[in-house]
Amino acid sequence: MFWWRTAALLAGLALLSLLLQPFFGWVATLAALVAGLLAILGYHLRNLERLGRWLADPTPEGVPESWGAWEIAYGRLYRLVRSQHKSQRMLSAALDRFVAAGEAMPEGVVVLDANDRIEWCNPRSMQHLGLDRKKDLGQHIAYLVRLPAFQQYLTAQDYGQPVILRNLTGSETTLSVQLVPFDSTRKLLLSRDITQLERVQTVHRDFVANVSHELRTPLTVVGGFIETLIDIPEMDPATRASQLNLMHEQTRRMQRLVDDLLTLSRLENGVELREDKIDPEQMVKLLASEAQGLSQGRHTVCVEVAGEGGLRGNYDELHSAFGNLVSNAVRYTPEGGEIRILWRVEDGQGVFAVRDTGIGVDAQHIPRLTERFYRVDRGRSRSTGGTGLGLAIVKHIVQRHQARLEVKSEPGSGSCFCIRFPANRMLDAREMSAAK
Ligand code: ADP
């Protein structure tokens, strides 16, 4: 195309000169031919100059426009630059997306070069490893993560498993850090905060140890008595009866423990909450009569109910939670003490409370009372039939009802365990009467 256009131009010029020759003679014709050639040269030089200027800032919009051979060249140049710009835009958008994804990752990511120097890192890695993106780029990772466990891991070059790093930045966090080689020279350093996971594992281990311990004692007692009964078949009836009684007591203890464990497991599995319309006054009266049954006349049991309306929640679960608080009050209040069971409505919120004049709890124990198997006085808890799981069950039930457990206690003077229900769990008198 280029050659065709150039040849056509030159041929046109030659033809024009030949046509002019008969009229103006050879000298003028040659002069016109030279002038024509100079004009063509000028056109090329001018376009070369425009091309040079455009190359200084080669945008698709800035590609010069012309005619003839240069029109073709500029047209191709325009298409080339436009497609390059398009793929550049796509590449940089892909890169932006990749960087944004890296920044948003919940795990720490550091890109290390062939010499283990930091090329890039995301905010989470800065938080995990205490890096500073402004200062630390280009620094050797071993200068910044100085724990011996990490240094050994880095030099051993066996990156199949992660390394566990504890208390790296002075905080009590535990990190799982793994190096992943890629693109033949670089490495990715991935860090994950496993503090919570470790805590859960510890709680789980302690729980299994506690359950085993709790079951072992009654099992040993029962096993011992059974052996005696086998060894001495002619045992006198009074001793036999007393041993059978003790065995019965121990099996009841195991039964209570297993029942509480099953309740706890059901609650922790988050079974759906069936909701009933509960009449607090009726519930409080029922709890008071149960408290009297447990107390066997050793305590004064009082009831206080103030406020209209009802409560939306699971009857069985709330009966069990309130019942646990009442039974604790009876068990941890010496003879002659008072147990007060209260229900009132405060600022639209429902408040259930059990107040006793018992042995109380020292402030340091209060935050841990709802932990499984946490007891202030192990002996007293066991001797009164406690499993150590009562308040853990209460905590779960309270949470399932979006309520709050508040504990106030004074050693020697008594305790108040209070459950505060949110306003949206309260039912007015009209809604309650519709339930009847
Ligand atoms: P337990 O079966 O041991 O009673 P809980 O989970 O019900 O287990 O209670 C945990 C611990 O909290 C008890 O061992 C006891 O030390 C303390 N506690 C609970 N309620 C009371 C209370 N009303 N007065 C004094 N201490 C209490």
Side-chain angles (χ1 to χ4, degrees), residues 313-334:
N314 185 292
Y315 184 89
D316 294 336
E317 287 188 17
L318 289 177
H319 180 225
S320 153
F322 296 168
N324 259 308
L325 298 183
V326 169
S327 118
N328 280 351
V330 173
R331 287 166 46 231
Y332 297 107
T333 301

Side-chain angles (χ1 to χ4, degrees), residues 18-297:
L18 286 175
L19 288 173
L20 290 176
Q21 189 275 329
F23 305 102
F24 300 106
W26 280 110
V27 176
T29 303
L30 278 175
L33 193 62
V34 168
L37 286 172
L38 281 176
I40 292 173
L41 184 65
Y43 154 78
H44 284 301
L45 286 176
R46 163 93 180 109
N47 277 300
L48 268 177
E49 184 260 342
R50 290 172 74 194
L51 180 64
R53 236 180 318 125
W54 174 78
L55 280 172
D57 177 23
T59 58
E61 307 76 47
V63 174
E65 282 176 22
S66 190
W67 52 273
W70 283 95
E71 185 186 358
I72 303 166
Y74 286 150
R76 286 184 186 159
L77 208 53
Y78 174 73
R79 282 192 293 280
L80 179 76
V81 176
R82 205 181 50 177
S83 92
Q84 262 180 359
H85 262 244
K86 198 170 155 199
S87 40
Q88 217 168 38
R89 263 204 314 274
M90 279 163 65
L91 267 176
S92 86
L95 192 68
D96 285 351
R97 274 202 302 278
F98 171 77
V99 171
E103 301 266 325
M105 266 175 77
E107 301 192 341
V109 184
V110 182
V111 180
L112 300 176
D113 68 9
N115 299 314
D116 296 332
R117 291 175 191 283
I118 299 175
E119 276 190 350
W120 180 84
C121 62
N122 73 347
R124 192 48 63 96
S125 72
M126 292 159 59
Q127 188 189 332
H128 283 171
L129 308 171
L131 303 178
D132 180 336
R133 196 144 50 170
K134 286 199 193 98
K135 282 202 322 240
D136 296 337
L137 288 191
Q139 292 275 12
H140 199 286
I141 189 72
Y143 291 143
L144 302 165
V145 182
R146 289 184 163 272
L147 288 184
F150 179 73
Q151 311 263 340
Q152 277 164 19
Y153 180 70
L154 188 66
T155 44
Q157 307 213 334
D158 176 9
Y159 307 137
Q161 293 294 323
V163 60
I164 305 297
L165 304 181
R166 293 198 167 82
N167 306 333
L168 178 63
T169 50
S171 59
E172 283 187 0
T173 42
T174 305
L175 294 177
S176 161
V177 169
Q178 184 157 22
L179 286 167
V180 184
F182 75 106
D183 104 11
S184 78
T185 56
R186 288 184 171 76
K187 289 184 203 83
L188 273 183
L189 183 153
L190 304 175
S191 60
R192 196 155 62 94
D193 187 341
I194 55 162
T195 317
Q196 196 55 28
L197 188 75
E198 275 211 329
R199 232 170 255 158
V200 170
Q201 281 170 350
T202 313
V203 168
H204 182 72
R205 262 197 310 273
D206 289 354
F207 180 64
V208 172
N210 273 320
V211 171
S212 316
H213 180 77
E214 293 290 330
L215 284 172
R216 202 176 51 195
T217 319
L219 271 175
T220 315
V221 174
V222 172
F225 284 143
I226 290 176
E227 269 176 32
T228 326
L229 289 172
I230 294 170
D231 290 348
I232 318 171
E234 64 286 357
M235 186 186 285
D236 74 281
T239 318
R240 173 187 290 262
S242 129
Q243 294 202 348
L244 284 172
N245 260 339
L246 285 167
M247 278 163 66
H248 187 214
E249 172 51 37
Q250 293 303 322
T251 46
R252 284 223 320 256
R253 183 169 152 195
M254 286 191 278
Q255 181 71 52
R256 274 197 304 273
L257 182 65
V258 171
D259 286 347
D260 277 0
L261 284 170
L262 285 174
T263 306
L264 204 55
S265 141
R266 196 176 50 80
L267 292 169
E268 283 180 342
N269 283 340
V271 284
E272 204 188 322
L273 190 75
R274 194 202 67 228
E275 295 195 338
D276 309 302
K277 292 182 175 178
I278 299 164
D279 177 352
E281 187 168 353
Q282 179 256 321
M283 174 79 92
V284 165
K285 283 181 181 158
L286 172 67
L287 291 164
S289 75
E290 287 170 355
Q292 267 148 359
L294 284 172
S295 158
Q296 302 275 321

Side-chain angles (χ1 to χ4, degrees), residues 413-427:
S413 4
S415 316
C416 179
F417 285 74
C418 159
I419 301 178
R420 198 173 284 274
F421 293 91
N424 62 7
R425 289 225 157 255
M426 304 306 293
L427 300 168

Side-chain angles (χ1 to χ4, degrees), residues 365-372 374 391-395 405:
H365 298 290
I366 292 178
R368 301 195 59 191
L369 292 183
T370 56
E371 285 176 23
R372 297 178 290 191
Y374 188 84
L391 289 181
I393 292 173
V394 171
K395 182 185 86 176
L405 175 68

